[in-house]
Amino acid sequence: MNIRKMSMVGFSPTRTTKTVLESIASGMDIQASTFIDMTLPTHAEAMCFGSEEVVIIGAPVYAGRLPVHAVERFRKLKGEHTPVVIVVVYGNREFEDALLELKHLVIEQGFVPVAGASFIGEHSFSTAEFPVAQGRPDSSDMACAKAFGEAVVSKIAALESVVGVEIDVPGNFPYKNGMPANSVAPVSRVACTLCGLCESVCPTGAIEVSHEVVTEASLCIRCCACIRACPHEVRVIEDEAWKAIGVRLYTNCATPKMPQLFC
Ligand SMILES: Cc1cc2nc3c(=O)[nH]c(=O)nc-3n(C[C@H](O)[C@H](O)[C@H](O)COP(=O)(O)O)c2cc1C
Ligand code: SF4
Ligand code: SF4
């Protein structure tokens, strides 16, 4: 098959998924394209892709599933037998049903999954005190992602067409339950300068900065993008139950996991 164009599409609040997709793309020697970022609520456009392009699509794993906002936004994509590489990035616990969910979603949207992968990214709840998968994806993950991109190109080049191509990925259907409803969000400490950066990175529009920072907790998906973005480190988790999850992950998920490729 002759592929003329490549696109990356991702949902990536703390940017590890974006890094992985870009590393995969670096191994695919096809005319590069930009990263189509579906992380923010402002990205509302529907997009169509043809059969002579390849799309790399990725999202983080939340509670063993895809984040609901990623699913919602990926539903705006439409393929026409477009080959797609499906990728999930998880915080060194498990990815459970997320990759299977992504496979089903892209097929419903008209794409043909030709390869899939799970990679490890620093856990969104990781802190300096209780690090979880700190520094992932690291240089070895990135080298693996690049080699995966090269393998995908070879696979597509050897195909007459994508009709009938199938890949097997782990996971169960019906899927496990995803994230439960949430009632807590990070808070901004008094030293906040009201710079507004946290508002600008929030994938759900949960934050409003005016003379104070107001966060609508029921909209918060606990992605931690606002915490990472705060230049003064005054956006923090105060909820004890949430902090305890971070400590448990630090204790239970210390052994580094490796990327898994399904090609
Ligand atoms: C609400 C939430 C739930 C998560 N659930 C899981 C999980 O089930 N398994 C896991 O290994 N990592 C889990 N993670 C960690 C993310 O998958 C991981 O940090 C990923 O690298 C984040 O991607 P991003 O940087 O593109 O936002 C979760 C993170 C968040 C915010
Ligand atoms: S308020 Fe919640 S959803 Fe918004 S960026 Fe912060 S953690 Fe993510
Ligand atoms: S990014 Fe930090 S300093 Fe800026 S408004 Fe948000 S909490 Fe305040």
Side-chain angles (χ1 to χ4, degrees):
M1 273 184 73
N2 190 13
I3 295 293
R4 295 180 197 281
K5 198 178 156 199
M6 179 210 10
S7 303
M8 288 169 272
V9 180
F11 178 88
S12 185
T14 58
R15 312 321 263 167
T16 58
T17 304
K18 179 173 188 280
T19 303
V20 169
L21 297 193
E22 286 171 344
S23 296
I24 295 170
S26 72
M28 299 174 77
D29 193 19
I30 303 173
Q31 185 195 335
S33 82
T34 49
F35 179 76
I36 300 164
D37 196 345
M38 299 199 125
T39 311
L40 294 179
T42 41
H43 192 102
E45 299 155 47
M47 302 191 79
C48 293
F49 299 88
S51 57
E52 293 201 339
E53 47 189 319
V54 61
V55 175
I56 313 173
I57 184 167
V61 175
Y62 283 7
R65 297 280 305 276
L66 296 177
V68 288
H69 293 79
V71 172
E72 215 174 273
R73 288 166 202 174
F74 291 169
R75 291 252 179 244
K76 295 188 179 134
L77 308 171
K78 184 89 192 81
E80 301 230 349
H81 302 291
T82 310
V84 66
V85 182
I86 52 172
V87 182
V88 293
V89 179
Y90 69 107
N92 205 52
R93 190 187 68 76
E94 295 292 346
F95 63 95
E96 291 160 317
D97 301 334
L99 192 59
L100 183 66
E101 188 180 7
L102 185 54
K103 174 180 154 178
H104 291 160
L105 188 154
V106 294
I107 291 172
E108 280 164 25
Q109 297 308 115
F111 295 86
V112 180
V114 293
S118 65
F119 280 85
I120 294 84
E122 179 160 356
H123 201 291
S124 321
F125 298 174
S126 169
T127 60
E129 194 182 357
F130 297 108
V132 185
Q134 194 176 38
R136 307 285 297 273
D138 57 19
S139 55
S140 143
D141 295 317
M142 286 189 320
C144 174
K146 186 173 181 209
F148 175 60
E150 287 163 3
V152 171
V153 168
S154 306
K155 176 172 179 176
I156 296 174
L159 294 172
E160 288 275 315
S161 91
V162 290
V163 176
V165 172
E166 278 184 30
I167 55 161
D168 272 335
V169 300
N172 294 304
F173 184 81
Y175 315 125
K176 67 176 294 238
N177 288 334
M179 291 292 297
N182 183 38
S183 57
V184 288
V187 296
S188 302
R189 290 200 166 134
V190 280
C192 166
T193 62
L194 302 175
C195 71
L197 264 172
C198 51
E199 178 180 334
S200 71
V201 298
C202 179
T204 64
I207 306 173
E208 225 179 278
V209 181
S210 52
H211 61 285
E212 62 178 337
V213 180
V214 177
T215 310
E216 175 49 60
S218 65
L219 294 180
C220 177
I221 55 170
R222 304 196 192 198
C223 71
C224 300
C226 55
I227 297 172
R228 300 283 168 89
C230 178
H232 305 294
E233 299 183 8
V234 293
R235 185 82 179 157
V236 295
I237 298 168
E238 283 187 344
D239 180 69
E240 291 303 326
W242 187 352
K243 284 200 264 188
I245 297 173
V247 178
R248 271 205 305 278
L249 290 165
Y250 166 74
T251 311
N252 299 335
C253 307
T255 308
K257 298 200 166 155
M258 292 300 130
Q260 291 183 50
L261 312 175
F262 310 94
C263 199

